[in-house]
Amino acid sequence: MAQIAFILLCHKDPEGIIAQARRLTAAGDYLAIHFDGNASSDDYARLREALDGNPSVTFARRRAKCGWGEWSLVQATLNAVEAAVAAFPRASHFYMLSGDCMPIKSARYVREFLDADDVDYIESFDFFKSDWIKTGIKRERLIYRHYFNERKNKWLFYASMNLQQRLGLERDIPADIEVMIGSQWWCLRRQTIEAILTFIRSRRDVMRFFRTTWIPDETFFQTLVRHLVPDREIRTRTLTFLLFSDYGMPAVFYDDQFDLLISQNYLFARKISPDAKRLKAQLAELYVTPDAQFQISDEGRNLYRFLTGRGRVGRRFAPRFWESEASLGRERELMVIVCKKWHVAKRLTERIRQMTDVPALDYLFNEDAAELPDLGGIQTTLSKRTRHRRALMRMLFDYHGTNRMVICIDPANIELLHDFCSDRCTTRIIEIQCSFSDDYLAGHAQRVGLAGPATPPETLARLLPTIRFDMRFESEQIRDADFPNLTRLREDGPPEENATALGRFLDMPADQAQTLLQIDYLFTD
């Protein structure tokens, strides 16, 4: 019967990893763990202390410092695979997992499934002919050398690529391989894993090539398996149930989705919500139930497409069924600057970026040209950002690797404030109350299309009181909403009072906030 060595890549939640390791090994499986070299050394020590005595658990000998899209993710996988091959000679299959994966079948079912067909399970679609890549660069991932991380050093990433393009520094793909692409969540037989390890020791040219490609975890194993294994012994699919929206956002599973998950034609599922404690307990119990029966309906993907489609046109079947990343996260702090004068708020965010390590973004829900990283397409238009605001914010927290973030919102967007304040994260708001001269209001009327250069002065004179009242009304709405953690910074307010308000908003000492506010031109129009 199949013996599985799970390859677990993880970077947080040591208690969850310990529980997962004990659950899998109690059912007779093996586990090789790679814990990110960037992660807490205390967390790693806790893992070693809890699991070193378990003969069915091993750790990668070297910990790579992993970065999204980098070769380091492949190196981490190889480190864990080598440890598993050496430690578990009886393992017949090697199965890639992440820390938020859970089994959705019993251990007996999983082994019988793998025994039924002597094949490898890995997505491997033709890199150039398939439409697996939906957005972003494609052939540039391969033909140019990538030394910088697009998420961490966006400017350098694209500057380097553009320079290579201008200088004609395209490189050839190794002639005897056909590059494939697919999900990183695979299950491979022992003979395939051993063939890959032998190949990488002898083919340094291929290793050099993949080390400087972009997002090689989607191409490296997918290409080598197709190169080394006959087509008849490959099933081009993953055994891990995972879903992505049109914008590249992963669907998260919750407590009410147990029956849905176990009816899918998959062995594991990703991502299980950290808050889905009942679902995790049910799946853990299911894995060690030898006589569990499963009725496979496999409707998950079609149901997801249908329900998200209804959501896009306002006809969702239920208030939350397949919400993707429904909460920003209980541990996170979202700090919102509300100001009608956008240039004032932008001066403050620039100062925050200069003097703190807190990411501060400008009017991302108001300006099409807001400076945002590539998040799979969700950031491309204002309508997408607003429609998927919580998912967008969660992706931005993940992109910047932080639990604290500042954004700017126009006071007209009060529905966004209500939404963020109802989230489980901590939301703090500071309203910057500015004075509005007639000249400023006239300029504002032109900027928003209420007036033009040729508008008669008398028409403008009748319009300005209405605009002034509208701005006052927006401020009153914010006050009447009684938002928790709301403070105000006033243009005509005493400096000490404004510093206290900003300090409370940013959770910093008042003297530091006073230094941050020392901008002579903050309120200048």
Side-chain angles (χ1 to χ4, degrees):
M1 184 169 276
Q3 291 288 305
I4 307 166
F6 290 101
I7 308 300
L8 180 63
L9 300 190
C10 47
H11 65 282
K12 61 181 180 179
D13 188 20
E15 297 307 320
I17 296 165
I18 292 166
Q20 189 178 40
R22 288 172 176 165
R23 178 169 57 247
L24 294 173
T25 56
D29 303 315
Y30 307 114
L31 187 68
I33 298 173
H34 179 278
F35 196 68
D36 192 345
N38 291 311
S40 162
S41 55
D42 290 341
D43 286 349
Y44 183 62
R46 200 180 324 164
L47 282 178
R48 298 302 299 252
E49 182 181 358
L51 298 174
D52 270 346
N54 188 331
S56 296
V57 176
T58 190
F59 287 83
R61 291 189 181 89
R62 296 182 305 280
R63 293 170 59 199
K65 292 186 176 181
C66 298
W68 189 93
E70 295 178 6
W71 169 258
S72 53
L73 283 173
V74 178
Q75 188 62 61
T77 306
L78 289 172
N79 292 350
V81 164
E82 288 171 347
V85 168
F88 309 126
R90 296 181 59 190
S92 61
H93 292 76
F94 296 77
Y95 194 124
M96 272 284 293
L97 286 179
S98 71
D100 53 15
C101 292
M102 287 285 290
I104 55 174
K105 298 293 187 292
S106 66
R108 178 178 176 179
Y109 182 100
V110 170
R111 294 190 182 103
E112 289 177 350
F113 183 98
L114 295 177
D115 283 336
D117 210 356
D118 186 22
V119 295
D120 296 307
Y121 294 91
I122 183 169
E123 285 189 348
S124 52
F125 303 100
D126 187 285
F127 184 92
F128 294 101
K129 295 177 183 177
S130 72
D131 64 346
W132 202 87
I133 298 174
K134 303 294 184 187
T135 60
I137 61 174
K138 188 170 182 177
R139 66 189 292 269
E140 292 88 352
R141 289 191 187 188
L142 306 179
I143 63 171
Y144 298 121
R145 297 165 180 82
H146 298 282
Y147 302 106
F148 304 101
N149 188 299
E150 193 267 350
R151 290 194 170 186
K152 296 177 184 174
N153 300 289
K154 190 182 185 75
W155 186 88
L156 286 172
F157 179 90
Y158 286 104
S160 169
M161 188 173 70
N162 292 336
L163 179 62
Q164 293 177 68
Q165 190 173 21
R166 284 199 301 273
L167 296 177
L169 297 179
E170 290 188 15
R171 60 174 172 176
D172 294 328
I173 297 168
D176 61 329
I177 68 169
E178 183 180 358
V179 179
M180 312 299 286
I181 191 166
S183 165
Q184 72 179 108
W185 310 110
W186 42 254
C187 178
L188 303 177
R189 297 166 297 170
R190 187 179 193 92
Q191 61 263 38
T192 301
I193 287 291
E194 290 176 343
I196 289 172
L197 295 179
T198 300
F199 180 88
I200 64 178
R201 285 191 288 268
S202 62
R203 291 296 302 272
R204 298 298 178 188
D205 59 323
V206 174
M207 295 297 283
R208 281 194 301 271
F209 171 76
F210 276 107
R211 278 195 180 101
T212 52
T213 59
W214 181 234
I215 321 182
D217 55 303
E218 293 179 350
T219 55
F220 179 77
F221 288 98
Q222 297 79 355
T223 299
L224 294 199
V225 170
R226 188 64 68 173
H227 182 75
L228 297 168
V229 178
D231 286 354
R232 66 179 180 276
E233 296 180 20
I234 301 173
R235 298 292 177 267
T236 306
R237 58 162 297 190
T238 174
L239 297 178
T240 298
F241 184 55
L242 66 162
L243 296 171
F244 290 90
S245 75
D246 298 348
Y247 313 116
M249 299 177 294
V252 177
F253 301 108
Y254 295 91
D255 280 341
D256 57 351
Q257 292 164 335
F258 174 77
D259 291 332
L260 176 77
L261 288 176
I262 66 172
S263 66
Q264 304 312 306
N265 189 24
Y266 294 85
L267 306 183
F268 281 73
R270 161 176 208 280
K271 294 176 142 186
I272 308 298
S273 168
D275 298 322
K277 297 190 176 5
R278 178 163 57 89
L279 176 60
K280 287 185 174 182
Q282 287 176 298
L283 294 176
E285 183 179 352
L286 177 70
Y287 193 63
V288 295
T289 304
D291 56 350
Q293 300 296 312
F294 301 93
Q295 185 70 39
I296 305 300
S297 59
D298 210 26
E299 82 293 351
R301 294 184 185 279
N302 290 336
L303 186 60
Y304 177 74
R305 282 194 293 269
F306 172 78
L307 290 171
T308 51
R310 302 286 70 70
R312 281 193 289 274
V313 296
R315 298 201 310 272
R316 190 183 295 274
F317 177 70
R320 186 206 61 74
F321 189 82
W322 282 97
E323 275 299 337
S324 179
E325 300 293 351
S327 171
L328 304 191
R330 209 180 291 273
E331 74 284 4
R332 285 173 168 160
E333 295 178 34
L334 180 63
M335 294 166 279
V336 183
I337 298 173
V338 180
C339 186
K340 198 66 182 179
K341 290 187 175 180
W342 294 4
H343 60 279
V344 174
K346 288 180 179 181
R347 288 166 185 165
L348 184 57
T349 55
E350 179 59 26
R351 190 75 166 165
I352 291 170
R353 288 190 289 268
Q354 291 172 356
M355 296 189 60
T356 75
D357 58 359
V358 179
L361 309 177
D362 295 334
Y363 286 83
L364 69 166
F365 295 108
N366 301 100
E367 288 185 302
D368 262 319
E371 204 168 305
L372 293 171
D374 185 353
L375 300 173
I378 190 175
Q379 82 292 342
T380 52
T381 66
L382 283 175
S383 61
K384 285 182 183 178
R385 294 177 212 164
T386 305
R387 188 164 67 243
H388 303 285
R389 47 188 170 261
R390 292 198 189 188
L392 172 71
M393 293 309 305
R394 190 169 185 112
M395 293 171 81
L396 285 169
F397 275 112
D398 291 341
Y399 175 86
H400 289 287
T402 183
N403 283 332
R404 304 183 73 220
M405 189 179 299
V406 174
I407 65 171
C408 300
I409 287 180
D410 189 284
N413 297 115
I414 192 166
E415 78 282 358
L416 292 177
L417 299 178
H418 280 292
D419 192 29
F420 289 138
C421 286
S422 68
D423 192 270
R424 286 175 295 198
C425 73
T426 298
T427 302
R428 288 201 287 274
I429 302 171
I430 188 165
E431 182 191 10
I432 303 180
Q433 295 182 328
C434 302
S435 302
F436 299 103
S437 67
D438 285 349
D439 285 343
Y440 177 84
L441 294 178
H444 174 77
Q446 292 193 29
R447 285 190 293 273
V448 299
L450 295 175
T455 300
E458 54 271 24
T459 303
L460 201 56
R462 289 195 299 270
L463 184 60
L464 294 188
T466 304
I467 297 174
R468 192 184 299 278
F469 175 81
D470 191 56
M471 292 182 176
R472 190 180 303 122
F473 175 74
E474 290 173 355
S475 184
E476 290 293 334
Q477 272 192 309
I478 293 171
R479 180 173 300 182
D480 293 343
D482 199 24
F483 292 120
N485 305 317
L486 171 65
T487 56
R488 289 181 177 82
L489 193 155
R490 295 184 293 117
E491 181 174 351
D492 57 355
E496 298 79 14
E497 183 181 304
N498 283 342
T500 300
L502 184 63
R504 193 156 57 244
F505 172 71
L506 291 173
D507 193 21
M508 65 169 51
D511 58 340
Q512 187 180 349
Q514 197 158 19
T515 303
L516 194 150
L517 275 174
Q518 288 175 0
I519 315 172
D520 294 336
Y521 55 90
L522 178 61
F523 293 101
T524 304
D525 290 332

